[in-house]
Amino acid sequence: MSGTVSLARDAADRAARFLDLENAPFTLPGSRILVQRTDGGVTARLAEYERRLDDCVVVRAVRVFGADGRIAEIADVRPESIAFDGGVTLTFDGPTALSLGGDTRWTVELTLPGALTASGRWSPGLPSAPEASWRAAGADDLLVREAHGDTVVRLSFAGGDGAGLRIALGPATMDAERTHADALAATTGVWDDWFARTPAVRDDLADLTAFCWWVLGANVVTLPGRGDARAVVPSKIGYVGLWQWDAYFIAAGLRHGDPELAREQLALAFGFPSANGQLPDVVHDDGILASSDDLPPGDRENLRRAGSAIADPTAPIPLTKPPLAAWALRSLDGLVDDPAWFDDAWATVARSQEWWFAHSDLDGDGMPEYGHPYSSGLDDSPIFDGELPVASPDLAAYLILQDDLLASRARSVGDAEAADRHTARAERTLALLEGMWDDDAGFFRSRGAGAPLRAETAVSLLPLLTGRLPGRIVSRMLEALDDPDRFATPWAVPTVAARDADFSAERMWCGPVWVNINALVAEGLAVSGHAERSRQLVEATLRLVQHAGGPHEYFNPLTGAKARTATTSFGWSAALCIDLAVRATG
């Protein structure tokens, strides 16, 4: 076995320890199919944009029985296969089909939603699978019956390489010459290629990193409406699309093993700016989400009811994500050799930066605001419990950082005028940010429709990212990070201070720990002259994810466990854990 294959298999073995078919489903890079446990077997669903998984069931149950007629339990789960007792395996046969096969006699029972057509097909009615079908080779018994509105198909096989079952969930062709062994070998090859790129890290971080790298591969989908572009989605469990903010964090991790795929994420995020430079919130199969007008009618009405004295509640509300575009683009320097692409990308980022100041400074005071919580990425944060729009210290910090990076880029290409312009604006924004500091309270206060807000949240820590705060303010922020009544919870950093009336250990953005916030705070500590404090937070964040069993969406800051409603196998948590593990390895 070659060294590359050996390393890939080692990473696959490490990732397999986490594959429980619940928190981590069985899937394939580029596929919409998710296989998870159900009573006595597995169920197959498709990942679709803005559809609940329970509404995307394509095979209600696959149950395998051994030669003795007893149900065969799941014996092992690996990236390339699910093994049942008795030697039957389930694998992928390309991105739109599943294959079952075994060496000895076995039986399978499929429970399919609805009725079969006269040709033996069924109709899930989903964008990725308007029609589905199965084909058996070498079956010596067939029984079809109706049960509670579903169809149950029972097939028996004598076993051997020529016998097996193929389930096509979408526009998949049936190759009569292709065997189950062929499908298994091809699927193993896909994962070997993926795991061969697993970044090298310290031994104590190798299991977590391998699993996080699996998560990124598992979350790859193709977007048919975008020329089959590869998007690494936040999760095939509920978040099927390319969210702008997520793409930036995901690229930060992907760059360590697959910088070209990282570039593809930014290319998608940058690929659909509006005429005035605004970047969309989401790029999905059928279009983009860039305005309240792109939402369903009910959601549009909810948004417009959340108007303010400044924003016009009857007008379309732009929807975007925080301006970390330059931060993400910088991370690919030296990893992608495409000067023309970088020129275009930096120009897109510059136009986006202009949009924030020209179109999202809703009160005209020089400090842009979030016109709606969706644009902040912090939808449920208590800083949005009052009136909109909200001027927030995190947004100010991102804009300062982005202008600084744009100035650096302009200087590198000899554009002194643009460099001076970005530098001057960063200085003005920094002065406005310092004006948000509340010395009595010891944190940066957000403002809702111009009025100071009470809530103390983690956004007050993100101005560390500028690396430009006065030392006395940085010292007060370090005190907040060390205070158990504020941000020094047993598992830090909570997204709302523990002493705050709105603190909740479980509610999204109201207290749980998020890996992206920790990563940004750690970077802020480093650039603000506190490298050891940054290292400590990096290590603590990696311990948290290990303790919780994987890169979940968010974590309880008191117990360190996955928060009850958090999504599992979450893209940016996985990507940033990889980035932090590489950083910790040195």
Side-chain angles (χ1 to χ4, degrees):
M1 185 182 296
S2 72
T4 300
V5 173
S6 178
L7 290 171
R9 295 287 170 82
D10 177 68
D13 289 344
R14 292 177 182 275
R17 298 167 188 169
F18 297 85
L19 304 186
D20 59 3
L21 299 184
E22 293 171 2
N23 293 320
F26 181 61
T27 189
L28 183 75
S31 176
R32 297 297 181 101
I33 301 172
L34 298 175
V35 178
Q36 295 173 291
R37 288 183 189 270
T38 193
D39 183 32
V42 296
T43 186
R45 298 177 172 89
L46 288 176
E48 302 282 4
Y49 177 65
E50 290 294 286
R51 290 179 188 252
R52 296 171 59 250
L53 269 185
D54 285 346
D55 296 329
C56 296
V57 174
V58 287
V59 180
R60 204 170 304 284
V62 178
R63 295 184 176 91
V64 175
F65 300 83
D68 59 2
R70 295 182 181 180
I71 195 160
E73 301 293 338
I74 295 170
D76 189 31
V77 182
R78 293 187 51 79
E80 71 275 9
S81 64
I82 299 172
F84 297 86
D85 288 337
V88 176
T89 55
L90 173 69
T91 190
F92 275 81
D93 191 356
T96 59
L98 297 169
S99 178
L100 269 163
D103 293 330
T104 60
R105 175 163 285 279
W106 57 283
T107 297
V108 62
E109 188 175 86
L110 304 179
T111 303
L112 309 174
L116 289 179
T117 66
S119 61
R121 299 174 181 266
W122 71 102
S123 301
L126 295 167
S128 298
E131 186 175 76
S133 58
W134 58 267
R135 188 198 70 201
D140 54 22
D141 190 27
L142 169 64
L143 174 67
V144 179
R145 60 185 174 86
E146 186 272 337
H148 309 294
D150 291 334
T151 300
V152 178
V153 178
R154 191 178 178 94
L155 294 147
S156 293
F157 299 86
D161 187 41
L165 176 71
R166 190 172 192 269
I167 306 168
L169 304 176
T173 58
M174 297 282 193
D175 182 354
E177 300 300 318
R178 189 173 174 86
T179 67
H180 176 69
D182 294 333
L184 181 57
T187 300
T188 301
V190 169
W191 279 114
D192 280 352
D193 287 347
W194 180 257
F195 280 117
R197 299 181 177 92
T198 307
V201 296
R202 284 182 345 218
D203 286 347
D204 62 310
L205 299 173
D207 284 2
L208 176 63
T209 299
F211 179 46
C212 288
W213 192 248
W214 174 89
V215 169
L216 294 182
N219 285 347
V220 175
V221 302
T222 56
L223 301 179
R226 300 288 170 230
D228 285 334
R230 296 181 297 170
V232 183
V233 302
S235 173
K236 287 179 182 174
I237 305 174
Y239 293 94
V240 186
L242 183 127
W243 274 258
Q244 183 195 148
W245 211 25
D246 298 69
Y248 300 155
F249 296 129
I250 287 169
L254 279 173
R255 68 190 170 115
H256 295 294
D258 195 338
E260 181 54 39
L261 185 56
R263 188 259 288 268
E264 288 183 38
Q265 307 316 294
L266 301 191
L268 278 167
F270 297 165
F272 305 92
S274 66
N276 59 23
Q278 178 205 340
L279 293 174
D281 185 355
V282 188
V283 178
H284 55 83
D285 290 312
D286 301 317
I288 62 171
L289 172 63
S291 160
S292 54
D293 282 347
D294 299 327
L295 292 167
D299 286 352
R300 288 201 300 270
E301 183 56 31
N302 289 339
L303 283 179
R304 288 175 180 167
R305 278 200 297 268
S308 75
I310 297 171
D312 179 358
T314 66
I317 300 171
L319 300 177
T320 185
K321 278 293 182 281
L324 278 170
W327 174 88
L329 188 55
R330 173 190 59 177
S331 74
L332 296 186
D333 280 351
L335 299 175
V336 173
D337 183 15
D338 191 341
W341 180 80
F342 274 108
D343 288 345
D344 289 345
W346 279 108
T348 298
V349 173
R351 290 193 298 273
S352 171
Q353 183 80 340
E354 297 305 321
W355 175 85
W356 280 98
F357 286 93
H359 299 280
S360 204
D361 177 12
L362 299 172
D363 59 4
D365 68 349
M367 174 73 83
E369 297 96 11
Y370 291 127
H372 192 271
Y374 286 11
S375 293
S376 74
L378 314 170
D379 303 7
D380 295 330
S381 173
I383 67 172
F384 296 109
D385 287 350
E387 206 164 16
L388 295 171
V390 170
S392 183
D394 62 313
L395 177 56
Y398 300 147
L399 290 167
I400 294 165
L401 175 60
Q402 187 142 282
D403 263 329
D404 281 345
L405 292 173
L406 284 164
S408 178
R409 166 68 182 182
R411 282 192 293 271
S412 74
V413 296
D415 190 344
E417 181 182 352
D420 290 345
R421 186 172 66 252
H422 287 297
T423 298
R425 187 166 59 193
E427 294 290 345
R428 292 194 299 272
T429 309
L430 179 63
L432 292 169
L433 170 62
E434 291 182 13
M436 300 174 77
W437 177 256
D438 184 327
D439 206 53
D440 292 335
F443 65 91
F444 287 95
R445 283 197 185 275
S446 299
R447 296 195 299 265
L453 299 173
R454 173 193 54 76
E456 181 181 9
T457 76
V459 300
S460 67
L461 302 171
L462 293 175
L464 288 167
L465 279 169
T466 66
R468 302 225 228 150
L469 298 177
R472 63 179 182 82
I473 292 180
V474 173
S475 295
R476 296 289 299 278
M477 296 172 80
L478 293 177
E479 290 174 11
L481 282 166
D482 287 338
D483 187 345
D485 289 332
R486 298 172 76 184
F487 295 105
T489 48
W491 298 91
V493 175
T495 41
V496 171
R499 70 182 182 182
D500 195 279
D502 290 309
F503 172 81
S504 166
E506 289 284 332
R507 186 182 168 200
M508 179 185 286
W509 294 117
C510 292
V513 181
W514 290 71
V515 175
N516 67 325
I517 297 298
N518 278 23
L520 291 172
V521 172
E523 183 172 327
L525 288 167
V527 300
S528 296
H530 294 274
E532 178 57 23
R533 293 294 298 270
S534 173
R535 186 194 67 78
Q536 292 170 4
L537 181 54
V538 167
E539 296 284 355
T541 303
L542 292 167
R543 286 195 301 272
L544 166 64
V545 180
Q546 288 174 319
H547 170 80
H552 307 303
E553 187 179 14
Y554 49 95
F555 305 80
N556 185 305
L558 305 181
T559 67
K562 180 185 88 70
R564 287 188 300 273
T565 57
T567 296
T568 60
S569 299
F570 194 70
W572 82 33
S573 297
L576 291 173
C577 277
I578 292 167
D579 191 47
L580 295 178
V582 171
R583 191 186 312 177
T585 299

